[in-house]
Amino acid sequence: MRWGAAALWAAGLGWAAEGEIAFRDVTERAGLLQPLAGMMGHGGAWGDVDGDGFLDLFVGGFCDRPAAEYHPASGPVPSRLFRNLGNGQFERVSRTPAEFYGRTSGAVFADLDNDGALELYAANNARPEPSRAEEPQRSAQVRRSLLFRNDQGRLLDLPPDSGACPDALLSVRNVGVFDFDSDGWLDLFIVSDRFTRNPRSALLRNRGGLRFEDATRRAGLPEDIWGLGLAAGDLNEDSRPDFFVPHSNRLFLSQSGDRYREAIELRAAFAHAPIDAEDWPCGAAFGDLNRDGRLDLAVSAHCRQARNRLFLNEGLQGGVPQFREITREAGLSDIVPARCPHVEIQDFDNDGWPDVYLSAAWDEAGRITPLIFRHDGLQDGQPRLRPPRPISGPMTYFPAGPSGDYDNDGRLDLFLVNWFAGNHCRLLRNESTARCWLQVRVTGRRANPMGLGAKVKVYRAGRIGVAEDLLGFQELHIGYGYASGQAAICHFGLNNETAVDVLAALPNGVEIRRTRTRANQRVHLVEP
């Protein structure tokens, strides 16, 4: 169902002006309100588990608090898995091991055995020893991260000796998925926070057959990496994934021999001076904000007075990407009076310019307005961003909030994972003014089957490869931002372009071209 220029927004109270980004709260109508009542959540992921073409949903909870904090539930609410029925409704999947009690702090769906079906990795923020006496809180505190294999649409336990969830990785926050050694198997980068005695993240190499080995030292990575979120992308243009870890604010660049080095040249550019003990850079996302074919960077802040930041990629110098902070110039400098954990760079109004979304929001009598800085085009070559209203309190926040087109209408929706008693998780359906769009899936044969790392560019029809006619550039990744998992789909808003040219460069150098591709469809590009 599409609404015109005067679309109702959020909970249906008020009107969206022409061109503005508008959402309607459809949580109850979608069948998600009651099953998630009382959820104290901290992780969420979209992924088509059963392969029917519609995005299913996993919601991870923190289950170690006193029972009264989960009201109206009688106690902790376990993680939930929901099947998308394709009619706007979701159905809870019962009797699944993916419904468990833990301190789930992130999740992602990924094809880790190259069979075309998505596994689920649930990151748990475990404690070394339990401090609670009652169950299930006691067990939840020590639950390590979990990987579930996909057996014809059913998620099943994976033996603990798979190597994917080492006991030593306790305080896990985020899961990165990319093929660091270009062998066609997706590897895992497990991000742990600094709030343990010996903080340590790990690069886990996929050996096939859902078996993993610790390759952190082999790849030249230090074992004292810590952080909260993650963003991956090829920044040094060698067709291999680099990655940025917020909180410690360290960028690691791929080198020959399947190794990494830290870009210490950029420490000063990314340095963050905290204003208090909980002022932490939290989420990170790459995206091309000025259509120059380079990945820019947004970094969100976990702070009651959040100072979010934006960096423009000005190209390589000596093999190192040069990032210049443009937070103030772009219009993102206002202090947000709420934590802003998650961040994404996505085009929510399909006007052809990617917006910057943060998982803070206004809550007015239960009506949620997410904080999305709308892209108003370029000024002197730099993006200009505008919030939906002047930044002022009171505001709330959601730890995780992945975007995804759950109803396949060509507009990116949001699922916001609730953390507070008295509030609840929200499915926000995007009902912005209809414009043209294109969604691109990529499947590798020699490259990884999910196409992660593919560089997808969209040009005006008949102008493929012409820089001045570039309408959008994305690198295909999942698990970016914070505690959130997205579908492996590049979403492009096209404004009024009814046909475009598409160019996808896979990590192994293979190029796929589609000329004069009509808008308003999902295109599936398969490596020859």
Side-chain angles (χ1 to χ4, degrees):
M1 183 176 186
R2 291 180 181 270
W3 298 81
L8 286 170
W9 66 294
L13 305 175
W15 297 86
E18 175 72 34
E20 295 301 310
I21 299 170
F23 292 92
R24 178 186 292 273
D25 189 332
V26 296
T27 314
E28 185 170 12
R29 187 170 74 187
L32 294 171
L33 183 62
Q34 189 279 328
L36 292 171
M39 166 70 77
M40 176 178 278
H42 203 282
W46 294 108
D48 186 2
V49 177
D50 53 10
D52 67 352
F54 288 90
L55 295 181
D56 306 304
L57 177 65
F58 172 79
V59 188
F62 255 50
C63 302
D64 66 339
R65 303 296 199 264
E69 294 190 19
Y70 299 92
H71 181 77
S74 59
V77 179
S79 297
R80 302 283 200 211
L81 178 66
F82 295 93
R83 178 171 174 256
N84 188 337
L85 300 179
N87 59 0
Q89 301 286 310
F90 287 82
E91 175 184 70
R92 176 184 163 194
V93 180
S94 58
R95 296 187 297 277
T96 172
E99 191 165 287
F100 60 89
Y101 294 97
R103 286 166 46 96
T104 303
S105 53
V108 68
F109 286 101
D111 181 7
L112 298 175
D113 56 3
N114 289 5
D115 67 350
L118 299 178
E119 278 67 52
L120 169 64
Y121 197 107
N124 284 326
N125 197 253
R127 305 293 86 190
E129 299 291 339
S131 61
R132 309 285 305 185
E134 70 275 32
E135 292 290 354
Q137 290 93 328
R138 182 178 178 86
S139 298
Q141 286 187 314
V142 296
R143 179 89 63 193
R144 302 304 199 265
S145 296
L146 299 167
L147 175 61
F148 302 97
R149 67 181 179 90
N150 191 325
D151 181 10
Q152 298 181 339
R154 296 180 303 146
L155 295 181
L156 303 177
D157 282 311
L158 199 67
D161 63 354
S162 70
C165 308
D167 279 350
L169 295 180
L170 284 172
S171 200
V172 177
R173 291 284 180 170
N174 220 83
V175 184
V177 184
F178 47 79
D179 184 6
F180 89 95
D181 54 2
S182 305
D183 65 354
W185 298 90
L186 290 173
D187 310 300
L188 301 170
F189 187 75
I190 311 300
V191 181
S192 297
D193 63 36
R194 73 177 188 186
F195 308 119
T196 55
R197 181 170 298 176
N198 297 301
R200 176 180 181 265
S201 300
L203 178 63
L204 303 180
R205 177 177 176 266
N206 190 338
R207 297 162 48 200
L210 295 177
R211 311 279 304 180
F212 295 81
E213 63 183 9
D214 194 327
T216 310
R217 288 186 177 179
R218 165 187 155 179
L221 290 168
E223 293 194 349
D224 64 346
I225 300 173
W226 48 264
L228 294 171
L230 189 79
D234 179 18
L235 301 173
N236 60 2
E237 301 179 10
D238 65 354
S239 298
R240 289 175 291 184
D242 312 303
F243 60 93
F244 179 83
V245 184
H247 197 189
S248 58
N249 283 12
R250 301 169 77 178
L251 175 65
F252 295 91
L253 299 174
S254 57
Q255 307 293 297
S256 61
D258 302 331
R259 295 178 64 82
Y260 283 92
R261 81 167 182 89
E262 183 182 354
I264 57 175
E265 303 92 333
L266 298 177
R267 283 183 179 175
F270 296 137
H272 177 79
I275 61 174
D276 59 37
E278 290 192 7
D279 182 5
W280 313 325
C282 188
F286 288 122
D288 184 4
L289 287 162
N290 59 348
R291 291 185 186 169
D292 65 354
R294 293 191 288 258
L295 293 174
D296 309 306
L297 174 64
V299 181
S300 62
H302 184 286
C303 182
R304 289 188 178 92
Q305 298 295 315
R307 296 169 297 154
N308 305 291
R309 302 173 72 187
L310 200 63
F311 298 88
L312 198 68
N313 185 341
E314 298 188 317
L316 292 174
Q317 182 175 315
V320 178
Q322 302 301 298
F323 283 97
R324 175 171 61 87
E325 184 168 1
I326 60 165
T327 305
R328 180 181 58 80
E329 296 91 332
L332 205 72
S333 61
D334 285 349
I335 293 175
V336 180
R339 293 182 173 93
C340 298
H342 180 54
V343 61
E344 295 190 19
I345 298 175
Q346 300 277 19
D347 189 352
F348 288 95
D349 57 1
N350 286 345
D351 68 347
W353 294 102
D355 312 298
V356 175
Y357 149 61
L358 298 156
S359 62
W362 289 271
D363 182 352
E364 298 167 309
R367 186 183 68 190
I368 297 296
T369 303
L371 177 54
I372 298 178
F373 287 82
R374 184 177 183 269
H375 200 310
D376 278 341
L378 302 181
Q379 182 175 328
D380 299 326
Q382 295 188 157
R384 298 295 302 170
L385 302 169
R386 173 173 55 84
R389 63 177 70 175
I391 302 294
S392 63
M395 296 181 72
T396 188
Y397 75 93
F398 298 83
S403 69
D405 183 7
Y406 83 93
D407 54 0
N408 291 353
D409 73 345
R411 289 173 288 191
L412 288 175
D413 313 298
L414 293 174
F415 185 79
L416 306 180
V417 181
N418 176 59
W419 179 249
F420 297 104
N423 200 354
H424 59 84
C425 296
R426 310 281 179 145
L427 177 61
L428 301 184
R429 183 177 186 268
N430 191 337
E431 296 187 346
S432 304
T433 302
R435 291 187 174 93
C436 295
W437 55 273
L438 190 76
Q439 294 177 353
V440 181
R441 286 182 55 213
V442 180
T443 294
R445 297 186 184 274
R446 288 173 295 166
N448 65 86
M450 289 187 78
L452 298 190
K455 300 174 182 178
V456 183
K457 294 182 178 180
V458 173
Y459 295 87
R460 289 187 174 85
R463 304 289 290 173
I464 194 167
V466 179
E468 292 78 8
D469 291 290
L470 180 66
L471 297 175
F473 163 59
Q474 293 182 38
E475 189 168 320
L476 184 55
H477 284 285
I478 59 176
Y480 47 86
Y482 176 64
S484 301
Q486 301 82 7
I489 298 171
C490 290
H491 176 94
F492 294 94
L494 301 179
N495 202 13
N496 298 319
E497 303 284 341
T498 57
V500 294
D501 292 350
V502 183
L503 173 63
L506 275 64
N508 59 9
V510 173
E511 287 192 350
I512 306 172
R513 295 173 178 239
R514 290 276 186 92
T515 58
R516 301 193 182 278
T517 302
R518 63 179 176 83
N520 303 330
Q521 64 167 321
R522 182 173 295 175
V523 175
H524 186 191
L525 305 180
V526 180
E527 181 181 6

